Coordinates of all heavy atoms in Angstrom, one line a residue:
Chain A
T498 N -72.1 33.5 -110.4 CA -72.2 34.6 -111.4 C -73.6 35.2 -111.3 O -74.2 35.4 -112.3 CB -72.0 33.9 -112.8 OG1 -72.9 32.8 -112.8 CG2 -70.6 33.5 -113.0
R499 N -73.9 35.6 -110.1 CA -75.2 36.3 -110.0 C -75.2 37.7 -110.4 O -75.6 38.6 -109.7 CB -75.8 36.1 -108.6 CG -76.4 34.7 -108.4 CD -77.2 34.7 -107.2 NE -77.0 33.4 -106.6 CZ -77.5 33.0 -105.5 NH1 -78.3 33.8 -104.8 NH2 -77.3 31.8 -105.0
I500 N -74.6 37.9 -111.5 CA -74.5 39.3 -112.0 C -75.4 39.2 -113.3 O -75.0 38.5 -114.2 CB -73.1 39.7 -112.3 CG1 -72.4 39.8 -111.0 CG2 -73.1 41.1 -113.0 CD1 -71.0 40.4 -111.0
E501 N -76.5 39.9 -113.3 CA -77.5 39.8 -114.3 C -76.9 39.8 -115.7 O -77.2 39.0 -116.5 CB -78.6 40.8 -114.2 CG -79.5 40.6 -113.0 CD -80.2 39.3 -113.0 OE1 -80.7 38.9 -114.1 OE2 -80.3 38.6 -111.9
E502 N -76.0 40.8 -116.0 CA -75.6 41.0 -117.4 C -74.8 39.7 -117.9 O -74.8 39.5 -119.1 CB -74.6 42.2 -117.5 CG -75.2 43.5 -117.2 CD -75.1 43.8 -115.7 OE1 -76.0 43.3 -114.9 OE2 -74.1 44.4 -115.3
W503 N -74.2 39.0 -117.0 CA -73.4 37.8 -117.5 C -74.3 36.6 -117.7 O -73.8 35.7 -118.4 CB -72.3 37.5 -116.4 CG -71.3 38.5 -116.2 CD1 -71.0 39.5 -117.1 CD2 -70.4 38.6 -115.1 NE1 -70.0 40.3 -116.6 CE2 -69.6 39.7 -115.3 CE3 -70.2 37.9 -113.9 CZ2 -68.6 40.2 -114.5 CZ3 -69.3 38.3 -113.0 CH2 -68.5 39.4 -113.3
L504 N -75.5 36.6 -117.2 CA -76.2 35.3 -117.2 C -76.5 34.8 -118.6 O -76.3 33.6 -118.9 CB -77.4 35.4 -116.3 CG -78.0 34.1 -115.8 CD1 -76.9 33.3 -115.1 CD2 -79.1 34.3 -114.9
P505 N -77.1 35.6 -119.5 CA -77.5 35.1 -120.8 C -76.4 34.4 -121.5 O -76.5 33.3 -122.0 CB -78.0 36.3 -121.5 CG -78.3 37.3 -120.5 CD -77.4 37.1 -119.3
L506 N -75.3 35.1 -121.6 CA -74.2 34.5 -122.3 C -73.7 33.2 -121.7 O -73.3 32.2 -122.3 CB -73.0 35.5 -122.5 CG -73.2 36.6 -123.4 CD1 -72.0 37.5 -123.5 CD2 -73.5 36.1 -124.8
N507 N -73.7 33.2 -120.3 CA -73.3 31.9 -119.7 C -74.3 30.8 -120.0 O -73.8 29.6 -120.2 CB -73.3 32.2 -118.2 CG -71.9 32.5 -117.7 OD1 -70.9 31.9 -118.1 ND2 -71.8 33.6 -116.9
V508 N -75.5 31.1 -120.1 CA -76.5 30.0 -120.4 C -76.2 29.5 -121.8 O -76.1 28.3 -122.1 CB -77.9 30.5 -120.3 CG1 -78.9 29.5 -120.8 CG2 -78.3 30.9 -118.9
I509 N -76.0 30.5 -122.8 CA -75.7 30.0 -124.2 C -74.4 29.2 -124.2 O -74.4 28.1 -124.8 CB -75.4 31.3 -125.0 CG1 -76.7 32.1 -125.2 CG2 -74.9 30.9 -126.4 CD1 -76.6 33.4 -125.9
S510 N -73.4 29.6 -123.4 CA -72.2 28.9 -123.4 C -72.4 27.4 -122.9 O -71.8 26.5 -123.4 CB -71.2 29.6 -122.5 OG -70.0 28.9 -122.4
T511 N -73.2 27.3 -121.9 CA -73.5 26.0 -121.3 C -74.2 25.1 -122.4 O -73.9 23.9 -122.5 CB -74.3 26.1 -120.0 OG1 -73.6 26.9 -119.1 CG2 -74.6 24.7 -119.5
V512 N -75.1 25.7 -123.1 CA -75.8 24.9 -124.1 C -74.8 24.4 -125.1 O -74.8 23.2 -125.5 CB -76.8 25.8 -124.9 CG1 -77.4 25.1 -126.1 CG2 -78.0 26.2 -123.9
G513 N -73.9 25.2 -125.5 CA -72.8 24.8 -126.4 C -72.0 23.7 -125.8 O -71.7 22.7 -126.5
A514 N -71.7 23.8 -124.5 CA -70.9 22.7 -123.9 C -71.6 21.4 -124.0 O -71.0 20.3 -124.3 CB -70.6 23.1 -122.4
F515 N -73.0 21.4 -123.8 CA -73.7 20.1 -123.9 C -73.7 19.6 -125.4 O -73.7 18.4 -125.6 CB -75.1 20.3 -123.3 CG -75.1 20.1 -121.9 CD1 -74.9 21.1 -121.0 CD2 -75.3 18.8 -121.3 CE1 -74.8 20.9 -119.6 CE2 -75.3 18.6 -120.0 CZ -75.0 19.7 -119.1
G516 N -73.7 20.6 -126.3 CA -73.6 20.2 -127.7 C -72.3 19.4 -127.9 O -72.3 18.3 -128.6
M517 N -71.2 19.9 -127.4 CA -69.9 19.2 -127.5 C -70.0 17.8 -126.8 O -69.5 16.8 -127.4 CB -68.8 20.0 -126.9 CG -68.6 21.3 -127.5 SD -67.5 22.3 -126.5 CE -65.9 21.6 -127.0

Side-chain angles (χ1 to χ4, degrees):
Chain A
T498 50
R499 279 196 220 177
I500 295 191
E501 288 301 317
E502 297 89 274
W503 293 341
L504 202 55
L506 286 181
N507 265 314
V508 173
I509 294 175
S510 177
T511 300
V512 172
F515 275 87
M517 299 169 79

